[in-house]
């Protein structure tokens, strides 16, 4: 394999980053990809910053072992805690993600950011909010428990609506015009969240996430570093720290997303 066609490594705590992988694959179908889902350690979003740092370094090591040419941290939680240390440790491009608050701020009413408890409490995210002068326009909700439902495949409308009923009660009558999906897992239940917001808050509520921005950034960096692979067909491979039989689920989620 030529240097340029080495795989691009993606990782997340579990299945969430597959939504980002699929977006990147749509944009760059000739690249080779390897996806590492750290399902054994999911969810990251309820762990300490130090634990998330260590898990991210471990995930980077697994991907590095596959000879990847770049690493995509397909996880907002891991980015918040560990992007700096990942860039110090690995001498290849490390692409990260953060909640897509910036484009959502154009909305007329308030912006609701749904992310993991770790992301909304970490300083990197709060620095971002200050930099964007988000002020009171942004309401953050740490969605403990939602990643677990998605990891367990409990993604039917009834289950997600019940979850949102409980979690969003605190919003009262707020006028929510935009929702930011600040965790890559949530893209797998985006349709339910969209419908719920329409029915309960605002018919025109818009949904934002960082998938396309991250894929565009990856492409830009590969072009700049002369690392684009033009060979077809490409290969997409999945590995997990969890039960190896779940690889089939990874593949199905990738195919159907
Ligand atoms: N999918 C990850 C994110 O974007 C985190 C999920 C977790 O809590 O493990 O933040």
């Amino acid at each position: 394999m030529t240097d340029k066609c080495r795989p691009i490594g993606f990782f997340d705590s579990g299945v969430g980053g597959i939504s980002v992988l699929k977006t990147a694959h749509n944009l760059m179908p000739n690249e080779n990809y390897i996806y590492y889902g750290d399902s054994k350690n999911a969810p990251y979003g309820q762990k300490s910053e130090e634990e998330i740092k260590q898990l991210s370094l471990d995930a980077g090591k697994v991907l590095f072992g596959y000879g990847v040419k770049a690493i995509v941290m397909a996880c907002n939680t891991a980015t918040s805690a560990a992007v700096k240390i990942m860039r110090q440790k690995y001498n290849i491009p490390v692409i990260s993600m953060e909640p897509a608050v910036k484009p959502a701020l154009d909305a007329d009413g308030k912006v609701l950011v749904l992310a993991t408890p770790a992301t909304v409490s970490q300083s990197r995210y709060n620095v971002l909010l200050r930099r964007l002068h988000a002020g009171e326009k942004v309401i953050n909700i740490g969605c403990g428990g939602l990643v677990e439902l998605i990891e367990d495949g409990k993604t039917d409308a009834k289950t997600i609506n019940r979850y949102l009923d409980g979690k969003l009660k605190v919003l009262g009558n707020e006028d929510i015009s935009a929702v930011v999906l600040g965790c890559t897992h949530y893209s797998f239940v985006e349709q339910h969240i969209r419908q719920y917001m329409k029915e309960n808050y605002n018919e025109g509520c818009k949904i934002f996430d960082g998938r396309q921005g991250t894929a565009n950034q990856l492409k830009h960096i590969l072009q700049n570093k002369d690392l684009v692979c033009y060979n077809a067909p490409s290969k997409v491979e999945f590995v997990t720290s969890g039960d190896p039989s779940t690889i089939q689920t990874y593949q199905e989620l990738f195919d159907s997303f």
Side-chain angles (χ1 to χ4, degrees):
M1 187 182 292
T2 67
D3 205 44
K4 293 182 187 184
C5 289
R6 285 180 294 143
I8 302 164
F10 279 63
F11 81 89
D12 182 32
S13 61
V15 298
I18 294 172
S19 61
V20 190
L21 172 68
K22 186 65 181 263
T23 308
H25 187 260
N26 287 341
L27 186 68
M28 293 172 286
N30 292 338
E31 296 287 346
N32 293 300
Y33 298 88
I34 178 139
Y35 182 90
Y36 175 64
D38 191 11
S39 286
K40 192 175 100 188
N41 294 303
Y44 283 3
Q46 317 227 29
K47 292 188 162 51
S48 72
E49 205 166 325
E50 279 315 304
E51 284 175 297
I52 300 167
K53 267 187 195 152
Q54 192 52 55
L55 291 169
S56 300
L57 288 170
D58 293 348
K61 192 169 168 192
V62 171
L63 291 172
F64 211 71
Y66 282 90
V68 297
K69 64 181 176 184
I71 293 175
V72 178
M73 302 176 75
C75 176
N76 297 267
T77 309
T79 295
S80 290
V83 63
K84 259 194 184 161
I85 197 164
M86 288 289 288
R87 288 190 174 135
Q88 282 160 7
K89 174 90 184 175
Y90 296 106
N91 191 21
I92 51 175
V94 174
I95 292 90
S96 63
M97 3 202 351
E98 61 191 9
V101 177
K102 194 172 176 209
L105 285 175
D106 287 337
D108 293 333
K110 295 221 167 162
V111 174
L112 173 65
V113 179
L114 304 177
T116 67
T119 296
V120 295
S121 66
Q122 276 161 11
S123 64
R124 188 182 165 89
Y125 174 63
N126 288 289
V127 167
L128 170 74
L129 292 183
R130 281 201 292 280
R131 203 173 61 233
L132 295 173
H133 304 291
E136 305 222 319
K137 193 171 166 80
V138 170
I139 302 172
N140 299 298
I141 297 203
C143 294
L146 186 51
V147 163
E148 289 91 322
L149 290 177
I150 297 165
E151 282 288 308
D152 290 346
K154 295 178 182 150
T155 52
D156 57 287
K158 201 170 154 201
T159 304
I160 300 304
N161 288 348
R162 201 181 314 125
Y163 179 88
L164 294 173
D165 278 344
K167 208 24 111 180
L168 303 188
K169 224 183 274 168
V170 290
L171 291 177
N173 293 327
E174 288 284 7
D175 171 25
I176 308 289
S177 299
V179 176
V180 176
L181 305 181
C183 166
T184 54
H185 279 74
Y186 305 167
S187 292
F188 287 106
V189 292
E190 178 179 337
Q191 290 314 323
H192 300 325
I193 295 175
R194 185 188 299 281
Q195 192 60 28
Y196 186 93
M197 295 309 294
K198 271 189 176 177
E199 284 169 12
N200 295 285
Y201 290 90
N202 183 337
E203 180 63 24
C205 189
K206 292 200 171 110
I207 308 280
F208 293 85
D209 69 57
R211 288 183 290 117
Q212 194 61 51
T214 302
N216 292 344
Q217 175 69 359
L218 170 64
K219 183 174 181 182
H220 179 72
I221 287 175
L222 294 180
Q223 284 169 337
N224 271 355
K225 302 218 173 267
D226 193 20
L227 279 174
V228 175
C229 173
Y230 294 100
N231 292 2
S234 81
K235 197 169 142 204
V236 181
E237 202 181 329
F238 296 95
V239 281
T240 178
S241 60
D243 177 355
S245 69
T246 54
I247 289 300
Q248 201 185 327
T249 310
Y250 280 41
Q251 184 69 53
E252 283 165 10
L253 284 170
F254 178 78
D255 292 338
S256 62
F257 186 72

